Amino acid sequence: MSTTVFALVGFTAWYLLLNVGLAVFRLRLIASGVKAPNSFATDGADLPGLGRRLTRARDNCFETLPVFVALAFAANASGRLDVTDGLAMWVLFARLGQSVTHILSVSVNAVRLRAALFFAQVTIYIWWAIQLLA
């Protein structure tokens, strides 16, 4: 398995884990009678702090997953995994760091760190796109 495929599977697994975490959070609210099963806002705006942060971390992950998939597919289909393999794990680590930071805090420093980690991912995606088109 190439590094790109490994990182992509890791990214996807992380997204699934965030979904499970959010589902457990919501199930606890349902079981405790705080929320009805059909009353959750899709954006998490009606959830207390951790639930709202979990929702946003999950959504942020999902928003960039298609970019990673498209570039990894393009690299694989064109026989150019050499372009993506070198930085693929950096994308995964930046995603994990961004999500964990999002879940743990909304302080100004945490938001700055999240932004830096997001920017790192986008920069790598742009670099890959340029390299694959060259």
Side-chain angles (χ1 to χ4, degrees):
M1 177 182 311
S2 75
T3 305
T4 298
V5 173
F6 183 85
L8 182 57
V9 171
F11 194 119
T12 304
W14 180 245
Y15 170 70
L16 293 171
L17 184 63
L18 289 171
N19 269 307
V20 169
L22 183 58
V24 168
F25 186 88
R26 286 179 172 189
L27 285 171
R28 291 182 65 206
L29 292 176
I30 293 167
S32 65
V34 173
K35 300 268 306 163
N38 62 346
S39 68
F40 291 98
T42 57
D43 65 356
D46 60 333
L47 297 176
L50 177 62
R52 187 176 12 242
R53 293 190 309 272
L54 266 169
T55 302
R56 288 304 308 142
R58 189 239 5 225
D59 291 352
N60 287 165
C61 192
F62 182 72
E63 290 163 356
T64 58
L65 181 57
V67 177
F68 195 172
V69 170
L71 290 167
F73 177 80
N76 189 47
S78 65
R80 301 283 318 275
L81 284 171
D82 59 298
V83 169
T84 55
D85 276 349
L87 294 172
M89 292 305 293
W90 287 101
V91 169
L92 176 60
F93 295 145
R95 168 50 53 194
L96 294 172
Q98 182 184 354
S99 296
V100 169
T101 303
H102 203 143
I103 292 165
L104 295 178
S105 178
V106 292
S107 72
V108 171
N109 287 334
V111 171
R112 287 179 180 145
L113 177 58
R114 278 191 353 238
L117 293 167
F118 175 76
F119 184 69
Q121 293 165 75
V122 170
T123 301
I124 292 169
Y125 294 148
I126 291 169
W127 175 251
W128 285 350
I130 290 167
Q131 294 301 303
L132 289 169
L133 290 171

CSV table of all heavy atoms in Angstrom, one decimal, residues 33-97:
chain,number,residue,atom,x,y,z
A,33,GLY,N,-32.7,12.0,28.2
A,33,GLY,CA,-34.0,12.8,28.1
A,33,GLY,C,-33.8,14.3,27.8
A,33,GLY,O,-34.7,15.0,27.8
A,34,VAL,N,-32.6,14.7,27.5
A,34,VAL,CA,-32.3,16.1,27.2
A,34,VAL,C,-32.8,16.5,25.8
A,34,VAL,O,-33.3,17.6,25.6
A,34,VAL,CB,-30.8,16.4,27.4
A,34,VAL,CG1,-30.4,17.8,26.9
A,34,VAL,CG2,-30.3,16.2,28.8
A,35,LYS,N,-32.6,15.6,24.9
A,35,LYS,CA,-33.0,15.8,23.5
A,35,LYS,C,-33.8,14.7,22.9
A,35,LYS,O,-33.6,13.5,23.3
A,35,LYS,CB,-31.8,16.0,22.6
A,35,LYS,CG,-30.9,17.1,22.9
A,35,LYS,CD,-31.1,18.4,22.3
A,35,LYS,CE,-31.2,18.5,20.8
A,35,LYS,NZ,-31.8,19.7,20.3
A,36,ALA,N,-34.8,15.0,22.1
A,36,ALA,CA,-35.5,14.0,21.3
A,36,ALA,C,-34.7,13.5,20.2
A,36,ALA,O,-33.9,14.3,19.6
A,36,ALA,CB,-36.9,14.5,20.9
A,37,PRO,N,-34.8,12.3,19.7
A,37,PRO,CA,-34.0,11.8,18.6
A,37,PRO,C,-34.1,12.6,17.3
A,37,PRO,O,-33.2,12.6,16.5
A,37,PRO,CB,-34.4,10.3,18.4
A,37,PRO,CG,-35.1,10.0,19.7
A,37,PRO,CD,-35.6,11.2,20.3
A,38,ASN,N,-35.3,13.2,17.1
A,38,ASN,CA,-35.5,13.9,15.9
A,38,ASN,C,-35.4,15.4,16.0
A,38,ASN,O,-35.9,16.2,15.2
A,38,ASN,CB,-36.9,13.6,15.4
A,38,ASN,CG,-38.0,14.0,16.3
A,38,ASN,OD1,-37.8,14.3,17.5
A,38,ASN,ND2,-39.3,14.0,15.9
A,39,SER,N,-34.7,15.9,17.1
A,39,SER,CA,-34.6,17.3,17.3
A,39,SER,C,-33.3,17.9,17.1
A,39,SER,O,-33.1,19.1,17.4
A,39,SER,CB,-35.1,17.6,18.8
A,39,SER,OG,-34.2,17.1,19.7
A,40,PHE,N,-32.3,17.2,16.6
A,40,PHE,CA,-31.0,17.7,16.5
A,40,PHE,C,-30.8,18.6,15.2
A,40,PHE,O,-31.2,18.2,14.1
A,40,PHE,CB,-29.9,16.6,16.4
A,40,PHE,CG,-29.8,15.8,17.7
A,40,PHE,CD1,-30.4,14.6,17.9
A,40,PHE,CD2,-29.0,16.3,18.7
A,40,PHE,CE1,-30.3,13.9,19.0
A,40,PHE,CE2,-28.8,15.6,19.9
A,40,PHE,CZ,-29.5,14.4,20.1
A,41,ALA,N,-30.2,19.7,15.4
A,41,ALA,CA,-29.9,20.6,14.2
A,41,ALA,C,-28.7,20.0,13.5
A,41,ALA,O,-27.7,19.5,14.2
A,41,ALA,CB,-29.5,22.0,14.7
A,42,THR,N,-28.7,20.0,12.2
A,42,THR,CA,-27.6,19.3,11.5
A,42,THR,C,-26.3,20.0,11.7
A,42,THR,O,-25.2,19.3,11.6
A,42,THR,CB,-27.9,19.3,10.0
A,42,THR,OG1,-28.1,20.6,9.5
A,42,THR,CG2,-29.2,18.5,9.7
A,43,ASP,N,-26.2,21.3,12.0
A,43,ASP,CA,-25.0,22.0,12.2
A,43,ASP,C,-24.5,21.9,13.6
A,43,ASP,O,-23.4,22.5,13.9
A,43,ASP,CB,-25.1,23.4,11.7
A,43,ASP,CG,-26.1,24.3,12.5
A,43,ASP,OD1,-26.7,23.7,13.4
A,43,ASP,OD2,-26.2,25.5,12.2
A,44,GLY,N,-25.2,21.3,14.5
A,44,GLY,CA,-24.7,21.2,15.9
A,44,GLY,C,-25.0,22.4,16.7
A,44,GLY,O,-24.6,22.4,17.9
A,45,ALA,N,-25.7,23.4,16.2
A,45,ALA,CA,-25.8,24.7,16.9
A,45,ALA,C,-26.7,24.5,18.2
A,45,ALA,O,-26.6,25.3,19.1
A,45,ALA,CB,-26.5,25.7,16.0
A,46,ASP,N,-27.4,23.4,18.3
A,46,ASP,CA,-28.3,23.2,19.4
A,46,ASP,C,-27.6,22.3,20.5
A,46,ASP,O,-28.2,22.0,21.5
A,46,ASP,CB,-29.6,22.6,19.0
A,46,ASP,CG,-29.4,21.2,18.3
A,46,ASP,OD1,-28.3,21.0,17.7
A,46,ASP,OD2,-30.3,20.4,18.4
A,47,LEU,N,-26.4,22.0,20.3
A,47,LEU,CA,-25.6,21.1,21.2
A,47,LEU,C,-24.8,21.9,22.2
A,47,LEU,O,-24.3,23.0,21.8
A,47,LEU,CB,-24.7,20.1,20.4
A,47,LEU,CG,-25.5,19.1,19.5
A,47,LEU,CD1,-24.4,18.3,18.8
A,47,LEU,CD2,-26.4,18.2,20.4
A,48,PRO,N,-24.6,21.4,23.4
A,48,PRO,CA,-23.6,22.1,24.3
A,48,PRO,C,-22.2,22.0,23.7
A,48,PRO,O,-21.9,21.3,22.8
A,48,PRO,CB,-23.7,21.3,25.6
A,48,PRO,CG,-24.6,20.1,25.3
A,48,PRO,CD,-25.2,20.2,23.9
A,49,GLY,N,-21.3,22.8,24.2
A,49,GLY,CA,-19.9,23.0,23.8
A,49,GLY,C,-19.2,21.8,23.1
A,49,GLY,O,-18.9,21.9,21.9
A,50,LEU,N,-19.0,20.7,23.7
A,50,LEU,CA,-18.3,19.6,23.1
A,50,LEU,C,-19.0,19.1,21.9
A,50,LEU,O,-18.4,18.8,20.9
A,50,LEU,CB,-18.1,18.5,24.2
A,50,LEU,CG,-17.4,17.2,23.7
A,50,LEU,CD1,-16.0,17.6,23.1
A,50,LEU,CD2,-17.3,16.2,24.7
A,51,GLY,N,-20.3,18.9,22.0
A,51,GLY,CA,-21.1,18.4,20.9
A,51,GLY,C,-21.0,19.3,19.7
A,51,GLY,O,-20.9,18.9,18.5
A,52,ARG,N,-21.1,20.6,19.9
A,52,ARG,CA,-20.9,21.6,18.8
A,52,ARG,C,-19.5,21.5,18.2
A,52,ARG,O,-19.4,21.5,17.0
A,52,ARG,CB,-21.2,23.0,19.3
A,52,ARG,CG,-21.3,24.1,18.3
A,52,ARG,CD,-21.6,25.4,18.8
A,52,ARG,NE,-21.6,25.5,20.3
A,52,ARG,CZ,-22.6,25.8,21.0
A,52,ARG,NH1,-23.8,26.0,20.5
A,52,ARG,NH2,-22.5,25.8,22.4
A,53,ARG,N,-18.5,21.4,19.0
A,53,ARG,CA,-17.1,21.3,18.5
A,53,ARG,C,-16.9,20.0,17.8
A,53,ARG,O,-16.2,19.9,16.7
A,53,ARG,CB,-16.1,21.5,19.7
A,53,ARG,CG,-16.1,22.9,20.3
A,53,ARG,CD,-15.0,23.1,21.2
A,53,ARG,NE,-14.8,22.2,22.3
A,53,ARG,CZ,-15.4,22.2,23.4
A,53,ARG,NH1,-16.3,23.1,23.7
A,53,ARG,NH2,-15.2,21.2,24.3
A,54,LEU,N,-17.5,18.9,18.3
A,54,LEU,CA,-17.4,17.6,17.6
A,54,LEU,C,-18.1,17.7,16.2
A,54,LEU,O,-17.5,17.2,15.2
A,54,LEU,CB,-18.1,16.5,18.4
A,54,LEU,CG,-17.2,15.6,19.3
A,54,LEU,CD1,-18.1,14.8,20.2
A,54,LEU,CD2,-16.3,14.8,18.5
A,55,THR,N,-19.2,18.3,16.2
A,55,THR,CA,-19.9,18.5,14.9
A,55,THR,C,-19.1,19.3,13.9
A,55,THR,O,-18.9,18.9,12.7
A,55,THR,CB,-21.3,19.2,15.1
A,55,THR,OG1,-22.0,18.4,16.0
A,55,THR,CG2,-22.0,19.3,13.8
A,56,ARG,N,-18.5,20.4,14.3
A,56,ARG,CA,-17.7,21.2,13.4
A,56,ARG,C,-16.4,20.5,13.0
A,56,ARG,O,-16.0,20.6,11.9
A,56,ARG,CB,-17.4,22.5,14.1
A,56,ARG,CG,-18.5,23.5,14.2
A,56,ARG,CD,-19.2,23.8,12.8
A,56,ARG,NE,-18.3,24.2,11.8
A,56,ARG,CZ,-18.3,23.8,10.5
A,56,ARG,NH1,-19.3,23.1,10.1
A,56,ARG,NH2,-17.4,24.3,9.7
A,57,ALA,N,-15.8,19.7,13.9
A,57,ALA,CA,-14.6,19.0,13.6
A,57,ALA,C,-14.9,17.9,12.5
A,57,ALA,O,-14.2,17.7,11.6
A,57,ALA,CB,-14.0,18.3,14.8
A,58,ARG,N,-16.0,17.2,12.7
A,58,ARG,CA,-16.5,16.2,11.8
A,58,ARG,C,-16.8,16.9,10.4
A,58,ARG,O,-16.3,16.4,9.3
A,58,ARG,CB,-17.7,15.5,12.3
A,58,ARG,CG,-18.1,14.3,11.5
A,58,ARG,CD,-19.5,14.3,10.9
A,58,ARG,NE,-20.3,15.4,10.9
A,58,ARG,CZ,-21.6,15.4,11.3
A,58,ARG,NH1,-22.2,14.2,11.6
A,58,ARG,NH2,-22.4,16.4,11.3
A,59,ASP,N,-17.5,18.0,10.4
A,59,ASP,CA,-17.8,18.7,9.2
A,59,ASP,C,-16.6,19.2,8.5
A,59,ASP,O,-16.5,19.1,7.2
A,59,ASP,CB,-18.8,19.8,9.4
A,59,ASP,CG,-20.2,19.3,9.9
A,59,ASP,OD1,-20.4,18.1,9.8
A,59,ASP,OD2,-21.0,20.1,10.3
A,60,ASN,N,-15.7,19.8,9.2
A,60,ASN,CA,-14.4,20.3,8.6
A,60,ASN,C,-13.7,19.1,7.9
A,60,ASN,O,-13.1,19.3,6.8
A,60,ASN,CB,-13.5,20.9,9.6
A,60,ASN,CG,-14.0,22.3,10.1
A,60,ASN,OD1,-13.5,22.7,11.1
A,60,ASN,ND2,-14.9,22.9,9.4
A,61,CYS,N,-13.6,18.0,8.6
A,61,CYS,CA,-13.0,16.8,8.0
A,61,CYS,C,-13.7,16.4,6.7
A,61,CYS,O,-13.0,16.2,5.7
A,61,CYS,CB,-13.0,15.7,9.0
A,61,CYS,SG,-12.0,14.3,8.7
A,62,PHE,N,-15.0,16.3,6.7
A,62,PHE,CA,-15.7,15.9,5.5
A,62,PHE,C,-15.6,16.9,4.4
A,62,PHE,O,-15.5,16.5,3.2
A,62,PHE,CB,-17.2,15.8,5.9
A,62,PHE,CG,-18.0,15.3,4.7
A,62,PHE,CD1,-17.9,14.0,4.2
A,62,PHE,CD2,-18.9,16.2,4.1
A,62,PHE,CE1,-18.7,13.6,3.2
A,62,PHE,CE2,-19.6,15.8,3.0
A,62,PHE,CZ,-19.5,14.5,2.5
A,63,GLU,N,-15.4,18.2,4.7
A,63,GLU,CA,-15.3,19.2,3.7
A,63,GLU,C,-14.0,19.1,2.9
A,63,GLU,O,-14.0,19.5,1.7
A,63,GLU,CB,-15.4,20.6,4.3
A,63,GLU,CG,-16.8,20.9,4.8
A,63,GLU,CD,-16.9,22.1,5.8
A,63,GLU,OE1,-15.8,22.6,6.2
A,63,GLU,OE2,-18.0,22.4,6.3
A,64,THR,N,-13.0,18.6,3.5
A,64,THR,CA,-11.7,18.5,2.8
A,64,THR,C,-11.4,17.1,2.3
A,64,THR,O,-10.5,16.9,1.5
A,64,THR,CB,-10.5,19.0,3.6
A,64,THR,OG1,-10.5,18.3,4.8
A,64,THR,CG2,-10.7,20.5,3.9
A,65,LEU,N,-12.1,16.1,2.8
A,65,LEU,CA,-11.9,14.7,2.3
A,65,LEU,C,-12.0,14.6,0.8
A,65,LEU,O,-11.2,13.9,0.2
A,65,LEU,CB,-12.8,13.8,3.1
A,65,LEU,CG,-12.7,12.3,2.8
A,65,LEU,CD1,-11.3,11.8,3.0
A,65,LEU,CD2,-13.7,11.5,3.6
A,66,PRO,N,-13.0,15.2,0.2
A,66,PRO,CA,-13.1,15.0,-1.3
A,66,PRO,C,-11.9,15.5,-2.1
A,66,PRO,O,-11.5,15.0,-3.1
A,66,PRO,CB,-14.4,15.8,-1.7
A,66,PRO,CG,-15.2,15.8,-0.4
A,66,PRO,CD,-14.2,15.9,0.7
A,67,VAL,N,-11.3,16.6,-1.5
A,67,VAL,CA,-10.1,17.1,-2.2
A,67,VAL,C,-8.9,16.1,-2.1
A,67,VAL,O,-8.3,15.8,-3.1
A,67,VAL,CB,-9.6,18.5,-1.5
A,67,VAL,CG1,-8.4,19.0,-2.2
A,67,VAL,CG2,-10.8,19.5,-1.6
A,68,PHE,N,-8.8,15.5,-1.0
A,68,PHE,CA,-7.7,14.5,-0.8
A,68,PHE,C,-8.0,13.3,-1.7
A,68,PHE,O,-7.1,12.8,-2.4
A,68,PHE,CB,-7.7,14.1,0.7
A,68,PHE,CG,-6.4,13.3,1.1
A,68,PHE,CD1,-6.2,13.0,2.4
A,68,PHE,CD2,-5.5,12.8,0.2
A,68,PHE,CE1,-5.1,12.3,2.8
A,68,PHE,CE2,-4.4,12.1,0.5
A,68,PHE,CZ,-4.2,11.9,1.9
A,69,VAL,N,-9.3,12.9,-1.7
A,69,VAL,CA,-9.7,11.7,-2.6
A,69,VAL,C,-9.4,12.0,-4.0
A,69,VAL,O,-8.8,11.2,-4.7
A,69,VAL,CB,-11.2,11.4,-2.4
A,69,VAL,CG1,-11.6,10.4,-3.4
A,69,VAL,CG2,-11.4,10.8,-1.0
A,70,ALA,N,-9.8,13.2,-4.5
A,70,ALA,CA,-9.6,13.5,-5.9
A,70,ALA,C,-8.1,13.6,-6.3
A,70,ALA,O,-7.7,13.0,-7.3
A,70,ALA,CB,-10.3,14.9,-6.2
A,71,LEU,N,-7.3,14.2,-5.5
A,71,LEU,CA,-5.9,14.3,-5.8
A,71,LEU,C,-5.2,12.9,-5.7
A,71,LEU,O,-4.3,12.6,-6.5
A,71,LEU,CB,-5.2,15.3,-4.9
A,71,LEU,CG,-5.6,16.8,-5.2
A,71,LEU,CD1,-5.2,17.7,-4.0
A,71,LEU,CD2,-5.1,17.2,-6.5
A,72,ALA,N,-5.6,12.1,-4.7
A,72,ALA,CA,-5.0,10.8,-4.5
A,72,ALA,C,-5.4,9.9,-5.7
A,72,ALA,O,-4.6,9.2,-6.3
A,72,ALA,CB,-5.4,10.1,-3.2
A,73,PHE,N,-6.6,10.0,-6.1
A,73,PHE,CA,-7.1,9.3,-7.3
A,73,PHE,C,-6.4,9.7,-8.6
A,73,PHE,O,-5.9,8.9,-9.4
A,73,PHE,CB,-8.6,9.5,-7.5
A,73,PHE,CG,-9.1,8.8,-8.7
A,73,PHE,CD1,-9.4,7.4,-8.7
A,73,PHE,CD2,-9.3,9.5,-9.9
A,73,PHE,CE1,-9.8,6.8,-9.9
A,73,PHE,CE2,-9.8,8.9,-11.1
A,73,PHE,CZ,-10.0,7.5,-11.0
A,74,ALA,N,-6.2,11.0,-8.7
A,74,ALA,CA,-5.5,11.5,-9.9
A,74,ALA,C,-4.1,11.1,-9.9
A,74,ALA,O,-3.5,10.6,-11.0
A,74,ALA,CB,-5.6,13.0,-10.0
A,75,ALA,N,-3.4,11.1,-8.8
A,75,ALA,CA,-2.0,10.6,-8.7
A,75,ALA,C,-1.9,9.2,-9.0
A,75,ALA,O,-1.0,8.7,-9.8
A,75,ALA,CB,-1.5,10.9,-7.3
A,76,ASN,N,-2.8,8.4,-8.5
A,76,ASN,CA,-2.8,6.9,-8.7
A,76,ASN,C,-3.1,6.6,-10.1
A,76,ASN,O,-2.4,5.8,-10.8
A,76,ASN,CB,-3.8,6.2,-7.7
A,76,ASN,CG,-3.6,4.7,-7.8
A,76,ASN,OD1,-2.5,4.2,-7.7
A,76,ASN,ND2,-4.8,4.0,-7.9
A,77,ALA,N,-4.2,7.2,-10.7
A,77,ALA,CA,-4.6,6.9,-12.1
A,77,ALA,C,-3.6,7.3,-13.1
A,77,ALA,O,-3.4,6.7,-14.1
A,77,ALA,CB,-5.9,7.7,-12.4
A,78,SER,N,-2.8,8.3,-12.8
A,78,SER,CA,-1.7,8.8,-13.7
A,78,SER,C,-0.4,8.2,-13.4
A,78,SER,O,0.6,8.5,-14.1
A,78,SER,CB,-1.6,10.3,-13.7
A,78,SER,OG,-1.2,10.7,-12.4
A,79,GLY,N,-0.3,7.2,-12.4
A,79,GLY,CA,0.9,6.6,-12.1
A,79,GLY,C,1.9,7.6,-11.5
A,79,GLY,O,3.1,7.4,-11.6
A,80,ARG,N,1.4,8.6,-10.8
A,80,ARG,CA,2.2,9.7,-10.2
A,80,ARG,C,2.1,9.7,-8.7
A,80,ARG,O,2.1,10.8,-8.1
A,80,ARG,CB,1.8,11.0,-10.8
A,80,ARG,CG,1.9,11.2,-12.3
A,80,ARG,CD,3.4,11.4,-12.8
A,80,ARG,NE,4.2,12.3,-12.0
A,80,ARG,CZ,4.2,13.6,-12.1
A,80,ARG,NH1,3.5,14.2,-12.9
A,80,ARG,NH2,5.0,14.3,-11.3
A,81,LEU,N,2.0,8.6,-8.0
A,81,LEU,CA,2.0,8.6,-6.6
A,81,LEU,C,3.2,9.2,-5.9
A,81,LEU,O,3.2,9.6,-4.8
A,81,LEU,CB,1.7,7.2,-6.0
A,81,LEU,CG,0.3,6.7,-6.2
A,81,LEU,CD1,0.2,5.2,-5.8
A,81,LEU,CD2,-0.7,7.5,-5.3
A,82,ASP,N,4.3,9.3,-6.7
A,82,ASP,CA,5.5,9.9,-6.2
A,82,ASP,C,5.3,11.4,-5.8
A,82,ASP,O,5.9,11.9,-5.0
A,82,ASP,CB,6.6,9.8,-7.3
A,82,ASP,CG,6.2,10.5,-8.6
A,82,ASP,OD1,5.3,10.0,-9.2
A,82,ASP,OD2,6.9,11.5,-9.0
A,83,VAL,N,4.3,12.0,-6.5
A,83,VAL,CA,3.9,13.4,-6.2
A,83,VAL,C,3.3,13.5,-4.8
A,83,VAL,O,3.6,14.4,-4.1
A,83,VAL,CB,3.0,13.9,-7.3
A,83,VAL,CG1,2.4,15.3,-6.9
A,83,VAL,CG2,3.7,14.0,-8.6
A,84,THR,N,2.4,12.6,-4.5
A,84,THR,CA,1.7,12.7,-3.2
A,84,THR,C,2.3,11.9,-2.0
A,84,THR,O,2.0,12.3,-0.9
A,84,THR,CB,0.2,12.2,-3.4
A,84,THR,OG1,0.2,10.9,-4.0
A,84,THR,CG2,-0.5,13.1,-4.4
A,85,ASP,N,3.0,10.9,-2.3
A,85,ASP,CA,3.5,10.0,-1.2
A,85,ASP,C,4.4,10.8,-0.2
A,85,ASP,O,4.3,10.5,1.0
A,85,ASP,CB,4.3,8.8,-1.8
A,85,ASP,CG,3.4,7.7,-2.2
A,85,ASP,OD1,2.2,7.7,-1.8
A,85,ASP,OD2,4.0,6.7,-2.8
A,86,GLY,N,5.2,11.7,-0.6
A,86,GLY,CA,6.1,12.4,0.3
A,86,GLY,C,5.4,13.3,1.3
A,86,GLY,O,5.9,13.4,2.4
A,87,LEU,N,4.2,13.8,1.0
A,87,LEU,CA,3.5,14.7,2.0
A,87,LEU,C,2.2,14.1,2.5
A,87,LEU,O,1.5,14.8,3.3
A,87,LEU,CB,3.3,16.1,1.3
A,87,LEU,CG,4.6,16.9,1.0
A,87,LEU,CD1,4.2,18.1,0.2
A,87,LEU,CD2,5.3,17.3,2.3
A,88,ALA,N,1.8,13.0,2.0
A,88,ALA,CA,0.5,12.4,2.4
A,88,ALA,C,0.3,12.3,3.9
A,88,ALA,O,-0.7,12.6,4.5
A,88,ALA,CB,0.3,11.1,1.7
A,89,MET,N,1.4,11.8,4.6
A,89,MET,CA,1.2,11.7,6.1
A,89,MET,C,1.2,13.0,6.7
A,89,MET,O,0.5,13.2,7.8
A,89,MET,CB,2.4,10.8,6.6
A,89,MET,CG,2.4,9.4,6.2
A,89,MET,SD,0.8,8.5,6.5
A,89,MET,CE,0.8,8.5,8.3
A,90,TRP,N,1.8,14.0,6.2
A,90,TRP,CA,1.7,15.4,6.7
A,90,TRP,C,0.2,15.9,6.6
A,90,TRP,O,-0.2,16.6,7.6
A,90,TRP,CB,2.6,16.3,6.0
A,90,TRP,CG,4.1,16.1,6.4
A,90,TRP,CD1,5.0,15.4,5.7
A,90,TRP,CD2,4.7,16.5,7.6
A,90,TRP,NE1,6.2,15.4,6.4
A,90,TRP,CE2,6.0,16.1,7.6
A,90,TRP,CE3,4.3,17.2,8.7
A,90,TRP,CZ2,6.9,16.3,8.6
A,90,TRP,CZ3,5.2,17.5,9.7
A,90,TRP,CH2,6.5,17.0,9.7
A,91,VAL,N,-0.4,15.6,5.6
A,91,VAL,CA,-1.9,15.9,5.4
A,91,VAL,C,-2.7,15.2,6.6
A,91,VAL,O,-3.5,15.9,7.2
A,91,VAL,CB,-2.4,15.5,4.1
A,91,VAL,CG1,-3.9,15.7,4.0
A,91,VAL,CG2,-1.8,16.4,3.0
A,92,LEU,N,-2.4,13.9,6.7
A,92,LEU,CA,-3.1,13.2,7.8
A,92,LEU,C,-2.8,13.8,9.2
A,92,LEU,O,-3.8,14.0,9.9
A,92,LEU,CB,-2.8,11.7,7.7
A,92,LEU,CG,-3.4,10.9,8.8
A,92,LEU,CD1,-4.9,10.9,8.8
A,92,LEU,CD2,-2.9,9.4,8.7
A,93,PHE,N,-1.6,14.0,9.5
A,93,PHE,CA,-1.2,14.6,10.8
A,93,PHE,C,-1.8,16.0,11.0
A,93,PHE,O,-2.3,16.3,12.1
A,93,PHE,CB,0.3,14.6,11.0
A,93,PHE,CG,0.9,13.2,11.0
A,93,PHE,CD1,2.2,13.0,10.5
A,93,PHE,CD2,0.3,12.1,11.5
A,93,PHE,CE1,2.8,11.8,10.5
A,93,PHE,CE2,0.8,10.9,11.6
A,93,PHE,CZ,2.1,10.7,11.0
A,94,ALA,N,-1.8,16.8,10.0
A,94,ALA,CA,-2.4,18.1,10.1
A,94,ALA,C,-3.9,18.0,10.3
A,94,ALA,O,-4.5,18.8,11.1
A,94,ALA,CB,-2.1,19.0,8.8
A,95,ARG,N,-4.5,17.1,9.6
A,95,ARG,CA,-6.0,16.9,9.8
A,95,ARG,C,-6.3,16.4,11.2
A,95,ARG,O,-7.2,16.9,11.9
A,95,ARG,CB,-6.5,15.9,8.8
A,95,ARG,CG,-7.9,15.4,9.1
A,95,ARG,CD,-8.9,16.4,9.3
A,95,ARG,NE,-9.0,17.4,8.3
A,95,ARG,CZ,-9.6,18.6,8.4
A,95,ARG,NH1,-10.3,18.9,9.5
A,95,ARG,NH2,-9.6,19.5,7.4
A,96,LEU,N,-5.5,15.5,11.7
A,96,LEU,CA,-5.7,15.0,13.1
A,96,LEU,C,-5.5,16.1,14.1
A,96,LEU,O,-6.3,16.3,15.0
A,96,LEU,CB,-4.8,13.8,13.4
A,96,LEU,CG,-5.0,12.5,12.6
A,96,LEU,CD1,-3.9,11.5,12.9
A,96,LEU,CD2,-6.3,11.9,12.9
A,97,GLY,N,-4.4,16.9,13.9
A,97,GLY,CA,-4.2,18.0,14.8
A,97,GLY,C,-5.3,19.0,14.8
A,97,GLY,O,-5.7,19.6,15.8
